[in-house]
Amino acid sequence: MYTFETIGALRIDQPPETYVYDILPLGDGVAAISSDDSLRLLDPIALHAPLNVVENVNRDVTCFAPLDGPEGLMVCTAGRDGKVCIVDPRQGAKVAEVKSDRNVPILSLATSWQNTSIAGGTELANSQASVIIWDTRFMDQPRLQYVESHSDDVTALQYHPTQKSILLSGSTDGLVNIYNTTILEEEDALHQTINHGASIHRSGFLTEMEVFALSHDEKFSTTQMVVNVDESVEEPPSVLFGDLRDKLGCEYVANVIARPGGGGVVGIGAHSREKFDLVHLHNEPPWALSQDSAVTLEGAHGSEIVRSFCFIDQHQMILTAVILQALLGIACARTDENPTPTAVDDASLSSPSAATSPDAQQSPTQGQRSARNTDKSSKLVDQALSSFRQLETANSYASSRKSFGLLGSALFYAKELIPRLYISGPPVEEPEVSQNADARLRGPLLEGVTLLEQAAKSHNADAIYLLAQLNFYGNFSYPKNHQEAFRRYHELAVLDGNSSAQHMVGFMYATGIGDAVERDQAKALLYHTFAAQAGHTKSEMTVAFRHHSGIGTVRNCDESANYYKSVADKAMKWYRSGPPGGRAWVSQSYRLADDDGGVYGEGASASSAGINAPKGGPNSDLNAALEDVLEYLDLMSGKGDFEATFSLGRIHYDGRKDLAPNVEAARRYFQTVATQYWKKDGTTVDISDKPRLDIIACKAAGYLGRMFLRGEGVEQNFKKASKWFIRGLKNGDAGSQHGLGLIYLHGLGLTQNIHKASDYFKAAAEQEYAPAQVSLGSLYLDQGSQSDIHVATRYFELAARYGHIEALYYLAEIINHGLGRERSCGLATAYYKSVAEKAEPLLSSISEANQAYKDGDNELALVGYLMAAEQGYERSQANVAYLLDQEKSVLPLASLSPFHRPRSALLKNAALALIFWTRSAKQTNIDSMVKMGDYYLNGIGTERDMEKAAACYTAASEYHQSAQALYNLGWMHENGAGLTQDFHLAKRYYDHALETNDEAYLPVTLSLLKLRARSAWNTLTHGGINSIKDEPAEKKHWSMGEWISNFLQDEGSPYEDDIDNDLLPHSDPMPGGDQDILYDDLIDDGIIESLIILGLAAALVWLIYYRQARQLAHRRGEEARIAQEGGQLRPAAQQAERGLFPQPGDPAFRDWVAGGIGH
């Protein structure tokens, strides 16, 4: 174990409040960059006196890297000004300078003098984060630029230690990429991608073949570098160490540094214990941390957070840099020349250095902190976060879900009932939280808030944002104060145009939540527009919806299309960044009211009655709960039912609203089915006693191939994927055909072959497999001719029927750009909107809102649904209105219950409920339209307006969709409420309500009894109201011609006059081509009438023929009799020429025309 002794230190006194970003060894010395935008060259032996100081190397310098060269050691620096500068620290001058495109801030650097290259990683700007590579000999233009590999800030860059053409990059999108910079095309240059799964803080090469990744949440992993991806070598799995704070008992991780000999050193700290340790990372393999041999810097830098450390092997020294109150401190320690022997490799821990990083600690709500916080207040924020982290750890595994089982359920409900007994006294309103709530705080929460308030006084953006979030959400039981939250958000929005703050200010102006500010839709649009222009995706979606619907502005289709397109582009980039075939997720968007049978309950709501009524009887499995279905399938699977086993696999693979996907379980089920059909050598078993096993096994093979192709539940392996897909082809499984098509299209483990890919896509597309239809359509679209575009469009339209996100995007692009058809802004906007709304995990807070609702936190659920509703999600708009709706029952029985919990003030906002009932109704929600009418009818959240109520009910009753709306219109006509009092019209609406929904029998019958009584009284008293008229139909005396004419024509339905023919669809009246019932009746009636007419005509022809035959036989008999008596006969030929019917001119023709009268 090494012992350290401090031999020197440096404090930067001028300018005041200066601190260090990073330090690194430079030849025999040390270089440091600091918040005053200066580069300092230091001598480790005489640390207190800098050798040189180069001022203003960049504006807001962010990073630097050493650059070896023939002229000696130089340094590259970069900053938020978008500049990369080459500086000679000994001469104190800039040697060269280059800018990024549009001066996008540069966050990371890597240099390779042997490769004459400088690489810079940019911040995400205009939906693009780039890795830019310049040639040091020709720096006018970048030599290479990779713009598609990362979707967020590029925070780490490093060239390979020996192969200098290999470049590694890490990003806050969670990916670590390895490029071969000798290849120009980005897609081909991307050698390997490692998904760390969390925002990358540090990443680099530990050895020539090992890569490490350290995330902002301190999760650490190592991965072996693939040598040749073209040989389909199976990639070894990453070694996951998890959160090093838990594993090593520290509070943060500064960095990981590779050491000579193949090992590494991890620098960890615990500022609350004033410690900084160096932990050896062994490569035995596998990689392992050796905490027993850790070197401890007791006292370290007090309670400060170490930002970085480095080794100076020539002097056997460790350098550390931290913030010391308002000053920078760089401390230097020397190792003992005769160390005590330990298990640690001498080459690994000979001499390191350290510095603090604002990125090392994250906000509870925001992963990255603003770069403008370059003063002493940053350390206050770090300390506050440390205090909050203690609270987070104490409550990390609190769960509000009830346990299963009899005892668990009993305890759950007992716990739920105890706090809900409010019999002892009347409900009281919750007291308003004062602005200064310190009296209610204590412990780490009080300490953290106090530190944040101190930092906020120095205009620290992170502190202001965190205080706003605490007041808005009430994190860590902090008392909510929406007025204070709005003040903080507004302060930050004005301070530096923070887009997240602008978004929240716009949200609060739009909703007036918590009465923090009066609703103002114009100001809401203004702030959302500011945030959208800065690239805030949720604000972009909000602005798009407002222009689409005309909220706070006039409707503008082009503006809406532009904003929706921007969001859709990001959604597609996110979707395509996943494994082959795109990302997969379970949609979490649903209406809360549907769990209760709709807004008005089961059978009374349009969503659960009439044409939308649940199919199947009481014993049908269509109404079974998911748990019951799984239990039944599991039982049948245990009995050897392979179809049940396959169904279990599909359910666990696809997931459901209340069942997260479980790819591990799905793989086991699919594997079970496959092994029943295929032996280990690939041959099949006899299935004569198991019909359909071959079909189901091939489907299971398709799923297994998909899992190996995408790396779901198994390691990604294209060779195994191909094997399973080929097996699935035996019975023409569409999923297998599409999977093989993807492999041939992208050359994944097999030689790329576009023609084979196209054939497989076409075979799957013919089976209505939507992903294959999209893939085939994209191939046609790439051809570019008009005919190919038409074919591509047809395939995209087929896939769009299944809601495929990529098909919708292609259609939006085709229509928006007018490819092969006339441009339609409205249709393009609708498609872009659908694409944006489908990317729920990326763009919405719906999942979090659903979880809060399940946990019983309706206030938090309301906030989540409100945010999604502002973005235009119709189901979230309905959920907001449903949560705020207080009119769920005419009788206030619930409020009289001892278990009734008073609604919080946040959930008492009828005016806001009406706003979202209206927005939901405008997106064709029938129940919301009826609710909107109820609010106008009863004056809830607005003044009473009978005309608007009637208009809402009339709109909801079109096509007879809502029995409730029809009933309400009948009631309004009966009582003259907003409509002319007319008992006859009232009866007709009541009748229509019953026709629409059979379950309305009782209320309609009772209302009709009352109505008839009122109508009878009105008739007896000669009242002025139009009474019910049951007049019998007038009997007509028809002539024979009129009777036949009326018999042959259809008189139509008695209600035909009431049907507006313009409302009936002219083509394809129902989705999928189902015919309307009205047309079916007409067709059936026409067929029957035609058959009757044809039958009558055939009978008439037969009778005529029979009559003529009898007449002919009679004549021949007469002629024979006359011949026997010696009479003279007519020539036979003349008689034969008459034919079946008399010819014109024949004396018998007149008699034949008259029907043979007289014969």
Side-chain angles (χ1 to χ4, degrees), residues 154-215:
V154 180
T155 54
L157 287 173
Q158 184 182 351
Y159 277 99
H160 192 275
T162 58
Q163 303 294 325
K164 294 301 183 180
S165 62
I166 301 299
L167 175 66
L168 174 147
S169 66
S171 167
T172 53
D173 62 7
L175 300 181
V176 176
N177 290 330
I178 300 176
Y179 307 92
N180 183 349
T181 60
T182 61
I183 301 174
L184 298 180
E185 292 294 330
E186 180 172 359
E187 183 176 353
D188 299 330
L190 189 57
H191 178 83
Q192 183 177 356
T193 296
I194 303 166
N195 189 349
H196 183 64
S199 173
I200 299 297
H201 177 210
R202 308 272 191 177
S203 185
F205 293 98
L206 280 173
T207 67
E208 293 184 8
M209 295 301 299
E210 296 282 348
V211 174
F212 80 89
L214 175 68
S215 60

Side-chain angles (χ1 to χ4, degrees), residues 869-890:
E870 282 292 306
Q871 293 170 236
Y873 288 89
E874 184 278 320
R875 292 176 180 176
S876 293
Q877 291 169 348
N879 290 345
V880 169
Y882 186 70
L883 286 173
L884 295 174
D885 184 37
Q886 302 180 53
E887 303 300 318
K888 294 185 174 66
S889 175
V890 175

Side-chain angles (χ1 to χ4, degrees), residues 1027-1096:
S1027 296
I1028 299 174
K1029 297 180 179 63
D1030 294 328
E1031 298 177 359
E1034 181 181 356
K1035 292 183 179 180
K1036 293 182 179 181
H1037 298 284
W1038 290 334
S1039 65
M1040 180 61 66
E1042 290 175 332
W1043 186 90
I1044 294 173
S1045 175
N1046 284 283
F1047 175 77
L1048 294 178
Q1049 71 180 7
D1050 180 24
E1051 294 184 356
S1053 168
Y1055 293 102
E1056 186 175 359
D1057 294 339
D1058 297 332
I1059 299 176
D1060 184 359
N1061 291 327
D1062 291 337
L1063 297 178
L1064 294 176
H1066 297 288
S1067 62
D1068 195 15
M1070 293 293 288
D1074 297 334
Q1075 294 295 321
D1076 192 272
I1077 296 175
L1078 178 62
Y1079 295 132
D1080 289 339
D1081 292 342
L1082 294 177
I1083 290 171
D1084 291 342
D1085 292 344
I1087 291 173
I1088 294 171
E1089 292 168 5
S1090 299
L1091 291 175
I1092 292 173
I1093 293 171
L1094 289 174
L1096 291 172

Side-chain angles (χ1 to χ4, degrees), residues 261-282:
V265 175
V266 181
I268 62 173
H271 57 83
S272 63
R273 300 194 300 272
E274 300 186 355
K275 285 182 60 179
F276 186 75
D277 296 349
L278 304 175
V279 179
H280 188 210
L281 185 62
H282 290 282

Side-chain angles (χ1 to χ4, degrees), residues 746-759:
H746 301 293
L748 304 175
L750 296 175
T751 304
Q752 189 178 36
N753 191 322
I754 306 298
H755 295 293
K756 280 190 175 181
S758 176
D759 291 340

Side-chain angles (χ1 to χ4, degrees), residues 789-836:
I789 291 174
H790 284 301
V791 174
T793 302
R794 180 169 61 86
Y795 279 115
F796 294 144
E797 287 173 346
L798 290 172
R801 295 179 304 165
Y802 301 96
H804 195 284
I805 184 173
E806 201 166 12
L808 296 169
Y809 179 75
Y810 276 123
L811 287 173
E813 290 283 87
I814 289 171
I815 296 169
N816 189 45
H817 295 289
L819 300 179
R821 61 192 299 169
E822 186 177 352
R823 181 180 184 270
S824 172
C825 178
L827 191 55
T829 303
Y831 278 123
Y832 281 133
K833 183 175 186 289
S834 296
V835 173

Side-chain angles (χ1 to χ4, degrees), residues 1139-1154:
L1140 179 61
F1141 303 111
Q1143 299 298 317
D1146 191 316
F1149 179 72
R1150 184 174 60 253
D1151 295 338
W1152 177 82
V1153 172

Side-chain angles (χ1 to χ4, degrees), residues 28 165 187 266 284 303 346 356 416 426 473 481 565 592 638 669 706 762 767 771 775 780 932 961 1026 1044 1065 1125 1144:
D28 293 335
S165 62
E187 183 176 353
V266 181
E284 295 182 347
S303 61
D346 290 346
T356 60
E416 288 295 302
Y473 288 103
N481 188 330
K565 174 176 167 51
L592 300 178
Y669 287 121
R706 175 182 170 88
K762 188 173 183 180
Q767 300 186 59
S775 299
Y780 276 104
M932 183 179 165
Q961 288 183 338
N1026 186 26
I1044 294 173
E1125 295 175 357

